Amino acid sequence: MGSIVLNNLGKVYGEDTVAVHNVNLEIKDGEFVVFVGPSGCGKSTILRMIAGLEHISFGEVIINDEVMNNVPARDRDIAMVFQNYALYPQMTARQNIGFALEMRKLPREEIEKRVLETASTLNISELLDRKPKELSGGQRQRVAMGRAIIRNAEAYLLDEPLSNLDAKLRSQLREELSKLHARLGVTMIHVTHDQIEAMTLGQRVAVFSVGHLFQYDTPETLYKSPNSIFVAGFIGSPTMNFFEAVSTRKASELSISVGKRKIGIQNYQERFNINQDGKLLVGIRPEHINWGNHSLELEDGFLANVEFIENLEPESYVTAIFDDKEIKTLSSDDLEKFSKGTSETFSGTKDPVITFRVSSENLPQKNSSILISLPPEKLYLFNANTGQSYGKEIKW
Amino acid sequence: MFNFRKTSVNKKGKIYDRPMISIVAFFISIVILTPILWVFSLSLKSGRETLNSKLLPKSPQPENYVEAWIQYDLGQFFFNSILVTGLSVLVTVFVAMSAAYAFTKIPFKGSEFLFSLLVIAIIIPPSALVVPLLIEMKFFGMYNTRAGLVVLYIAFGLPIAILVFRGFFAGIPDEIIEAARLDGCTEYQVLWKILAPVSKGAIATVTILLFLANWNEFILALVLLRDAENFTLPIGINAQLGQYTSDYHLIAAASIIAAVPVFIVYLGLQSQFERGVAEGALKA
């Protein structure tokens, strides 16, 4: 088992295409870390640099206090599971799993013993004499896992190993992977673009976009204290709602104008580092929004019209449009701009729209007028230019 | 309702669906087979009958084969041919696989340029280089040696062999190679333990192509070999043609004997070869 440190790690393709920018990150011995981010964010490239499959343009990969930059892949003692499994087609499952031990010249009996142990751990004992083409996707995935875990490697790298499986099998294997890590206690890095996978598997999660590491923390902290609008928007489903707003400080109260209405945050200094008045971005998660029928009185309520209901059990997603057209809500294109760093202007959505999560037993009527309230204690505030959170860092 | 009968009729009738192709194939096979059958018939004729234009010999004389073998000392030529062809094919396949592996799976500067040079080498016919090669071989002290011929066959076989292997290796996912490296393989182990077993089709294809070319090669052998003890079969048999008289029936028998190993190699590798062609081993 081993600890891994990435020190200013970077990757440049060709003359000036920077795929990974100065990533600094530490993975403790025995930790399960997930790299998550949209496609092309550089997460797999980083994994491949750790494995020794990709040349390191600058910075260092340190495994167990030893700089690995110039150590070939086969000498790094790293095991990896590939997205397409990469099983050796001419070998049976047994030979595939035992191959790494064979290369290390272990005695035949020892290899056989460990292959059987590994196969029993992964429930594939009866598949050992089959070749990869005779196995289903899930079975191949298990054999690929077996090929990795049979070794006592320093670290285990999993490059989107669940992405080719159907939803049910994926959730089953996610659980098994989690149990496997708990049992083996080895250092694991799992790469995925699926935030649910990241949140359920990772002890710590590193969120990447366009080659930058945005935040590296526990799933809970990422959800509750995102450090940027990109992380806030990426983590959580449905995604967080964002509005343009103007803030004014009055003693211990921060007054936030969203459209024609004002929301007051008391003792704002306890939660936010805001030193100036002016434009900012407000975020709120769909599960934190309160709603009521038009007739009900809600303090600081916003009038809105129910546009669309996505019926799920036991909770449904409701999309409504604010009556106040002065409210400007951010579109996914705007969030994309923030994923690349900063945004100067927002295109916004066509209508000011908000999505919230409600119990399916208590759904509003479609096209009905409702009142929506945004609880001040649940609001997130972000710098309108840089997308950085104004929230004080709270560890969860 | 499913109509099973209709499907089966279609399947059976398939061969009659393309009569033109069958007719053309039939005529092509006649054109190809006629000279072979003619030589085979000649090989069974008696010395007197050789100039008789009738296709079938009056009384077939299989002993011609034994006579040709002994009279022409075919054993020595046979040994030389097997040595030169076998060694050159073996080394070419080995080196070409290594080179193709490097060209497809190990990125290095100048890879594309080097490969273009190799492809250019395919276009140059060996016969165009006979004189400089003769001078070169003399310079290296390899004139009139079987080793010299082996070296030249390897040199002329490598470009096409690398081209075939490169096309085949390109279709093998990089992840398999990376997985092998992480499992502890050196580059040579990746090539021989992982790539070679899945490349049987390509190996069979290249072996057949090279074996055929080197076994029958004439010009280089004719120019570079002087003494009969080093002759390969094509040169050895050719040397039996006299200026005024020739035993054509014996030369025909010797030619048939010379063709046998090619058939054996092809039949032995046929299934792998066909799979190789289907898998695209001949696509660069």
Side-chain angles (χ1 to χ4, degrees):
Chain A
M1 288 191 291
S3 62
I4 297 172
V5 176
L6 307 183
N7 192 5
N8 255 334
L9 190 68
K11 177 75 190 174
V12 184
Y13 287 108
E15 295 283 299
D16 50 4
T17 313
V18 184
V20 176
H21 301 259
N22 305 70
V23 169
N24 289 295
L25 183 145
E26 190 191 345
I27 297 157
K28 291 179 199 139
D29 192 1
E31 198 173 16
F32 197 145
V33 167
V34 178
F35 290 178
V36 70
S39 301
C41 69
K43 54 193 189 297
S44 285
T45 308
I46 297 172
L47 198 75
R48 293 169 55 79
M49 285 197 276
I50 297 173
L53 299 173
E54 198 83 52
H55 176 255
I56 295 168
S57 304
F58 53 88
E60 288 173 331
V61 168
I62 301 166
I63 301 176
N64 279 344
D65 302 325
E66 201 182 325
V67 178
M68 286 285 159
N69 288 32
N70 296 319
V71 177
R74 69 191 165 92
D75 296 327
R76 291 197 187 188
D77 202 11
I78 296 273
M80 186 159 168
V81 179
F82 292 84
Q83 187 174 2
N84 63 4
Y85 317 132
L87 298 176
Y88 309 126
Q90 76 277 23
M91 297 185 195
T92 60
R94 182 192 305 275
Q95 291 165 326
N96 263 289
I97 295 172
F99 185 71
L101 302 186
E102 203 182 301
M103 293 316 297
R104 281 166 181 73
K105 300 201 165 54
L106 260 68
R108 203 153 280 283
E109 307 81 59
E110 168 76 9
I111 296 175
E112 181 64 16
K113 193 179 129 225
R114 277 170 64 177
V115 167
L116 291 176
E117 276 171 15
T118 307
S120 119
T121 307
L122 294 164
N123 277 330
I124 47 170
S125 302
E126 72 285 5
L127 305 174
L128 285 178
D129 293 318
R130 294 203 201 159
K131 288 198 172 168
K133 64 179 176 197
E134 297 158 351
L135 300 170
S136 70
Q139 291 167 337
R140 282 181 205 178
Q141 204 279 339
R142 281 162 200 262
V143 174
M145 275 305 293
R147 191 170 65 178
I149 64 169
I150 196 168
R151 292 171 49 188
N152 296 320
E154 295 290 352
Y156 297 79
L157 312 183
L158 318 172
D159 189 5
E160 309 212 23
L162 307 180
S163 62
N164 288 346
L165 305 174
D166 62 65
K168 199 176 164 196
L169 196 57
R170 198 157 58 214
S171 107
Q172 186 192 337
L173 284 174
R174 210 159 54 207
E175 194 186 324
E176 285 183 22
L177 204 57
S178 205
K179 284 183 189 164
L180 194 70
H181 176 258
R183 180 141 38 105
L184 302 174
V186 293
T187 310
M188 280 189 176
I189 307 176
H190 182 108
V191 163
T192 180
H193 59 264
D194 180 352
Q195 50 123 341
I196 297 172
E197 217 167 286
M199 300 296 273
T200 50
L201 282 173
Q203 291 171 327
R204 280 199 286 174
V205 177
V207 186
F208 291 93
S209 182
V210 285
H212 290 277
L213 172 60
F214 271 71
Q215 194 168 359
Y216 177 44
D217 227 311
T218 62
E220 205 172 9
T221 305
L222 290 183
Y223 177 80
K224 291 181 175 168
S225 298
N227 67 359
S228 61
I229 199 165
F230 170 71
V231 176
F234 191 77
I235 301 291
S237 177
T239 191
M240 191 186 269
N241 298 284
F242 298 103
F243 317 96
E244 264 190 357
V246 176
S247 67
T248 322
R249 292 165 298 158
K250 284 179 208 154
S252 67
E253 193 197 65
L254 184 72
S255 170
I256 300 196
S257 309
V258 179
K260 290 173 186 147
R261 297 210 70 117
K262 281 194 165 74
I263 304 169
I265 300 175
Q266 302 299 328
N267 300 322
Y268 73 93
Q269 294 97 333
E270 285 174 17
R271 289 175 54 213
F272 300 106
N273 287 321
I274 294 188
N275 305 318
Q276 61 188 49
D277 295 340
K279 202 168 117 179
L280 47 65
L281 297 169
V282 176
I284 185 158
R285 294 208 180 272
E287 49 273 36
H288 295 151
I289 294 166
N290 298 324
W291 75 279
N293 287 321
H294 195 170
S295 54
L296 287 174
E297 272 302 310
L298 269 169
E299 206 185 327
D300 293 328
F302 290 82
L303 270 174
N305 193 53
V306 177
E307 179 80 359
F308 176 70
I309 300 171
E310 198 176 342
N311 273 315
L312 300 165
E313 293 293 345
E315 286 182 314
S316 296
Y317 307 148
V318 179
T319 304
I321 293 178
F322 288 113
D323 288 2
D324 180 357
K325 302 297 177 202
E326 278 180 25
I327 299 174
K328 196 168 180 187
T329 48
L330 266 60
S331 66
S332 52
D333 283 351
D334 296 325
L335 286 180
E336 185 125 330
K337 285 179 202 159
F338 277 115
S339 78
K340 291 177 178 124
T342 59
S343 181
E344 295 297 317
T345 51
F346 308 117
S347 51
T349 49
K350 194 172 145 231
D351 290 310
V353 68
I354 187 163
T355 302
F356 54 100
R357 211 150 112 171
V358 293
S359 160
S360 296
E361 288 172 1
N362 182 26
L363 283 175
Q365 291 284 317
K366 200 179 168 194
N367 295 326
S368 64
S369 185
I370 55 168
L371 266 172
I372 285 171
S373 98
L374 312 177
E377 69 279 10
K378 297 292 186 188
L379 294 183
Y380 295 86
L381 304 179
F382 302 94
N383 183 308
N385 292 321
T386 64
Q388 289 298 307
S389 172
Y390 284 122
K392 286 187 172 165
E393 201 180 320
I394 304 161
K395 287 280 172 194
W396 299 85
Chain B
M1 286 290 285
F2 295 107
N3 193 340
F4 292 109
R5 187 181 286 179
K6 200 175 174 187
T7 321
S8 69
V9 167
N10 270 352
K11 258 192 173 174
K12 262 191 176 174
K14 214 174 184 180
I15 193 160
Y16 304 108
D17 289 348
R18 296 175 291 177
M20 273 313 289
I21 292 178
S22 304
I23 291 167
V24 171
F26 177 73
F27 279 105
I28 291 174
S29 55
I30 285 180
V31 171
I32 292 170
L33 285 174
T34 305
I36 298 172
L37 290 174
W38 189 83
V39 173
F40 182 64
S41 150
L42 184 61
S43 74
L44 292 172
K45 286 178 176 175
S46 65
R48 276 188 197 169
E49 245 185 312
T50 48
L51 296 176
N52 188 336
S53 63
K54 275 185 188 163
L55 190 61
L56 293 176
K58 264 184 196 161
S59 60
Q61 312 220 339
E63 59 272 22
N64 285 351
Y65 285 84
V66 182
E67 201 182 333
W69 182 273
I70 297 166
Q71 193 178 317
Y72 295 161
D73 194 15
L74 284 189
Q76 180 63 36
F77 302 152
F78 220 91
F79 173 76
N80 292 342
S81 270
I82 286 179
L83 189 76
V84 169
T85 308
L87 210 62
S88 61
V89 171
L90 206 71
V91 176
T92 311
V93 168
F94 182 85
V95 176
M97 281 179 78
S98 310
Y101 175 61
F103 277 127
T104 47
K105 303 296 180 192
I106 306 172
F108 63 93
K109 265 192 184 161
S111 163
E112 284 299 314
F113 173 72
L114 213 59
F115 186 72
S116 323
L117 277 185
L118 272 174
V119 176
I120 291 170
I122 296 173
I123 321 168
I124 303 170
S127 48
L129 302 174
V130 161
V131 177
L133 285 174
L134 179 70
I135 297 165
E136 196 176 63
M137 285 292 128
K138 276 199 163 165
F139 178 80
F140 286 117
M142 292 176 104
Y143 171 69
N144 193 30
T145 63
R146 287 165 292 192
L149 205 58
V150 170
V151 170
L152 290 186
Y153 286 174
I154 292 169
F156 284 105
L158 272 177
I160 185 77
I162 292 172
L163 190 74
V164 173
F165 280 125
R166 184 182 183 257
F168 190 82
F169 288 172
I172 295 173
D174 290 346
E175 286 88 345
I176 288 185
I177 285 129
E178 292 171 348
R181 284 177 189 151
L182 288 169
D183 273 344
C185 286
T186 61
E187 295 302 327
Y188 259 97
Q189 283 170 324
V190 174
L191 178 58
W192 298 112
K193 282 184 182 285
I194 307 296
L195 280 190
V198 295
S199 310
K200 283 181 192 155
I203 295 172
T205 308
V206 172
T207 303
I208 288 173
L209 290 178
L210 293 175
F211 192 91
L212 201 66
N214 296 357
W215 186 265
N216 295 326
E217 201 285 324
F218 186 78
I219 297 286
L220 291 175
L222 181 71
V223 175
L224 291 172
L225 300 177
R226 188 186 55 213
D227 299 335
E229 65 190 41
N230 293 328
F231 281 178
T232 54
L233 276 167
I235 310 305
I237 295 171
N238 181 63
Q240 311 309 323
L241 286 168
Q243 195 177 354
Y244 304 107
T245 58
S246 295
D247 294 327
Y248 289 114
H249 61 302
L250 295 185
I251 288 172
S255 302
I256 295 286
I257 292 174
V260 169
V262 178
F263 282 110
I264 293 174
V265 167
Y266 181 77
L267 290 177
L269 297 174
Q270 187 187 18
S271 62
Q272 296 289 355
F273 173 71
E274 281 165 6
R275 197 189 305 165
V277 173
E279 283 167 356
L282 285 179
K283 273 189 289 175

